[in-house]
Amino acid sequence: MPRRLFAVLVCALSCAPHHAAPPPMRTPPAPPPIDAAPSPPDAARNPDAPGLRLPDGVTPLAYELRLEIDPHADAFIGHVKIRVRIDAPTDRVWLHADQIKITAARWDHGDLARLPLAGDEMIAFGFGKQVSPGELELAIDYTGLTSRDQEGLFRQRAGSRWYVFSQGESTFARRIVPCFDEPKFKTPWRVTLDVPADQVALANMAETSRKTLDDGRRELEFAPTPAIASYLVAIAVGPFELVDVGVVGRGKIPVRVAALAGGSDRIAVVARRLPGIVDELERYVDDGLPWPKLDLVVVPRLFGAMENPGLVTFASRLIAGDARSSAFADEFTRVAAHELAHFWFGDLVTQAWWNDLWLAEAFASWLGDRTALALGIGDTLDAALARRRALEADAQPGALPLRRAVANNADPDDSFDDTEYDKGQSVLATFERWVGEAAFRAAVQAYLHAHRSGVATAEDFTRALEGVAGPDVARAFAAYVEHAGVPIVDLTFDCSGSPKLVASARGGVTIPVCMRVAGADAPICALVGSRTELPLASCAAWAQPTGGYYVVSWRGARPADPPRSALSLGQRVALGEDLELAVRRGELPPRDALDELRALAGPELGAAVAAAAIARAIDPLVGDGERAAWQKWLAARFAPRLELKALSEPGELAGDLDEDLIALVGADQLPAAVRASAKQRTMRDLARGITPVASVVAAAGGDRAMFDRIAALATHDPSWTAEPLGAFGPAVAPAAVELALGALPSSATMPAITAYFRRPATRAAIWAAVRARLAELLAHVTPPDAADLLDATRSLCDANSRAELVAAFEPHVTRIPNGREHLDRALVAIDACIAARAKAGELGAALH
């Protein structure tokens, strides 16, 4: 599954109108339920419940799952048979089940009795006697409802047509079927789907037979899967148009695209780009694509894409579009490379438990980006951008390590963050650079071979790395996996005797460090622990890391910055991050940081990005009375980057800089001609149904009419995203909240709301709008989106807002996943900002 993607106004050529709902489901009614699966229990009331994890002693061996689905209806009917092995005498069996109703349950020797015990999204069945070790079969009938929140079985409409999709990751398979819903239980599944005759039905494996039922529905059977975790079981039902796009890879795997009705002419990007992606992935891992068929399924609205083996789902905006557009085709390539990398990392070799989710997401991010780069998409700067996102997440209060504790069922879904993706891939890239590409590839292949079709832990990959790089590197890697927060190396030039660079790593980690030093022909490198001395030929004027996931902090007098000509673009970005984080840690005084900003700000992209990073760190320290002067001062420093030509420069780095500068400077400081031109070009492009060139610039100074135009497109056409609505000014903030309470799912609108919190000019307005409608919002949005909303409030930085935050969220915190932890982290961040602002004092005098 990819990280949540930020997209800039991707649109189709027409907007699909809403229509009345089609006729109701034609599947037979379910028998009345004997009882409902419980909501999360109070463990204290259930002392016999096993807690978060299923108890040992019962192992699933095979599933036969039948689902009766009609996309026109909310309800579905399920029947599952589970062959299990009993390892020790027992009188009961526990299964995961959530938001489904059990209608009947049996085993080999009669009925299963539902026990009056509630586990954590679990149910217990009694055999009625003590059962000896051996194999037996459970058979359960049940009903459930589809959702709107992309969890479990969910239903969406595109135009007048309805579709049903599944999303099992992380703990949502239990909403589809009672099962052993932990990743360690890798089990074969045989799936049968009963659907209306006019619907297409798909699953992980190829269809093996079909027949017409007495009521006119069709029954479709699919081949049994290899052993997979429950979260990877996938289905899709709807009026798809199936497009054969040939074969890929060493095994000549057949590929189809399941396009939305009327959309089969917009998926040409798959045939053009997918073969190269598969070839490059297979080349690196030296293994054929490990699945016998591959369907790519278009979903009207999705968080991004999901790596279900054999049935990969993609948000419409990522797969349906103009294949001649290099930006669209390149984005598809990046996402598809990530998802197919999961076929090895996550699908074939699965994390044994959710504490090691990074084994799937970090490796897929690292190998996906590596694959895209090998195909000529992006450049080495992409690694610098991933490092930048990771450092920002790792510098937050309460930052978590790659390997993290899982205390409840909300924790796995909370783990899909920039730490697991960007920090994970940055750490992998750091050690790949240190041990060498060939050795690291050998470790990766050894890891995959040793755990093929099974499960693995962090220790398993560390052992594979030790086999090629030795115990010291393995210990350093293991420490990185457990370390929370930004790794920091303290540096000092010591010229008192023999010249040397003294390096010390904070926090008990050992860091692979390589430094370019003035006057040296080659970098000097070492595994830096508590204290490491790196000899120099002569006392140097400057030193700069060549790359890697760590930042440096100079003790004593800080040496001169390296000359820009001596640094690559990525190293210039890294320099800015080092200085930004030094300001945030309180180790670089704001007035000194302003001097650094003056020296870096200018037209050159890399230096401007570094300067903007410093400005981001200073910005929270600026008092309300100084903000106008601060924004004017910044506008003068960055004037060359605020012209329309510069603001329209292509590339992710330039786009990130544009967003940073508009957020820092404010729309009012943009030249009037720039605002007018951007608005004109954006409205023209919107009218033509193409991606606006100047949308971010225009939105920053945009009016309600433009907001409404984009909102209407996002509401009616799933290929549009609502995220750019977060770039509008403070006057439109209440409209963003209204949109979140309307027809669009919260997953589409929450990124727009959180974007308002990131910008000083709109922060107060969006907080006022959210606070006024908070109860309605929390009742309307999904629980994960409620957590995202609470996280966004970390940007508040005054005592009054802090008090308002506590009063507003305290009554609702128990209904938000890990709500108490999210609220506590927000308060820690706000308190730190208030304290840092007070320590910085007045900055107005330094703005000259």
Side-chain angles (χ1 to χ4, degrees), residues 763-764 767 771 793 795-808 827 830 834:
R763 191 172 296 141
W767 171 231
R771 189 162 56 90
T793 64
S795 62
L796 300 173
C797 192
D798 64 272
N800 185 57
S801 295
R802 185 192 193 279
E804 291 174 344
L805 178 68
V806 173
L827 295 177
I830 293 169
I834 292 172

Side-chain angles (χ1 to χ4, degrees), residues 262-629:
S264 59
D265 60 342
R266 303 187 66 235
I267 46 82
V269 68
V270 177
R272 295 186 186 185
R273 292 295 183 93
L274 193 65
I277 295 170
V278 173
D279 288 346
E280 183 57 31
L281 288 168
E282 290 183 340
R283 185 201 64 77
Y284 187 85
V285 299
D286 193 23
D287 185 23
L289 193 71
W291 208 257
K293 71 99 173 173
L294 179 58
D295 289 337
L296 278 56
V297 180
V298 182
V299 183
R301 300 185 190 281
L302 193 64
F303 47 79
M306 175 64 201
E307 65 270 15
N308 308 305
L311 196 74
V312 184
T313 49
F314 285 82
S316 175
R317 70 182 188 274
L318 298 175
I319 190 172
D322 183 358
R324 295 168 299 180
S325 165
S326 59
F328 168 73
D330 289 353
E331 185 66 7
F332 167 79
T333 302
R334 291 187 179 95
V335 175
H338 177 104
E339 300 310 323
L340 292 186
H342 271 304
F343 274 39
W344 289 273
F345 298 98
D347 295 3
L348 185 66
V349 178
T350 307
Q351 63 280 0
W353 180 233
W354 294 112
N355 62 335
D356 275 330
L357 174 65
W358 72 275
L359 284 173
E361 297 302 346
F363 273 96
S365 297
W366 163 77
L367 183 55
D369 282 2
R370 203 180 199 287
T371 298
L373 185 61
L375 296 173
I377 297 166
D379 52 39
T380 54
L381 183 60
D382 290 341
L385 295 174
R387 176 184 182 271
R388 180 187 184 195
R389 292 188 295 266
L391 288 172
E392 183 175 343
D394 229 4
Q396 295 294 322
L400 297 171
L402 291 177
R403 182 181 233 184
R404 55 188 63 174
V406 176
N408 56 59
N409 282 308
D411 281 341
D413 226 41
D414 262 359
S415 297
F416 290 88
D417 55 26
D418 286 341
T419 298
E420 299 289 61
Y421 291 82
D422 292 311
K423 178 179 177 177
Q425 77 173 96
S426 296
V427 169
L428 292 173
T430 296
F431 281 85
E432 179 188 30
R433 184 183 303 113
W434 184 262
V435 305
E437 289 188 8
F440 196 79
R441 182 184 178 197
V444 168
Q445 291 180 358
Y447 163 78
L448 291 174
H449 178 75
H451 303 284
R452 186 180 182 86
S453 301
V455 297
T457 65
E459 290 80 8
D460 293 320
F461 182 74
T462 301
R463 280 192 289 271
L465 185 61
E466 182 176 5
V468 301
D472 290 344
V473 172
R475 280 192 294 269
F477 184 85
Y480 258 88
V481 170
E482 303 286 353
H483 183 265
V486 177
I488 302 172
V489 177
D490 291 317
L491 296 174
T492 306
F493 278 131
D494 184 351
C495 299
S496 58
S498 299
K500 52 185 164 293
L501 181 64
V502 181
S504 301
R506 301 185 196 176
V509 292
T510 299
I511 299 176
V513 173
C514 280
M515 305 288 297
R516 291 187 61 195
V517 180
D521 294 332
I524 57 173
C525 301
L527 282 173
V528 172
S530 57
R531 178 184 170 88
T532 304
E533 295 184 356
L534 291 81
L536 303 175
S538 60
C539 211
W542 58 264
Q544 178 69 18
T546 62
Y549 191 70
Y550 58 91
V551 300
V552 299
S553 176
W554 289 94
R555 291 304 189 187
R558 188 173 179 277
D561 288 333
R564 296 183 194 178
S565 60
L567 300 179
S568 68
L569 182 55
Q571 288 167 344
R572 273 170 270 175
V573 173
L575 173 62
E577 290 159 355
D578 286 357
L579 296 172
E580 174 190 4
L581 293 178
V583 175
R584 294 188 187 277
R585 294 193 305 270
E587 296 173 7
L588 180 62
R591 286 170 174 77
D592 293 345
L594 286 172
D595 291 338
E596 297 281 358
L597 193 158
R598 286 188 189 91
L600 288 166
E604 194 274 321
L605 179 61
V609 168
I614 300 169
R616 286 202 312 267
I618 297 172
D619 188 78
L621 310 180
V622 177
D624 293 340
E626 301 171 301
R627 184 150 301 279

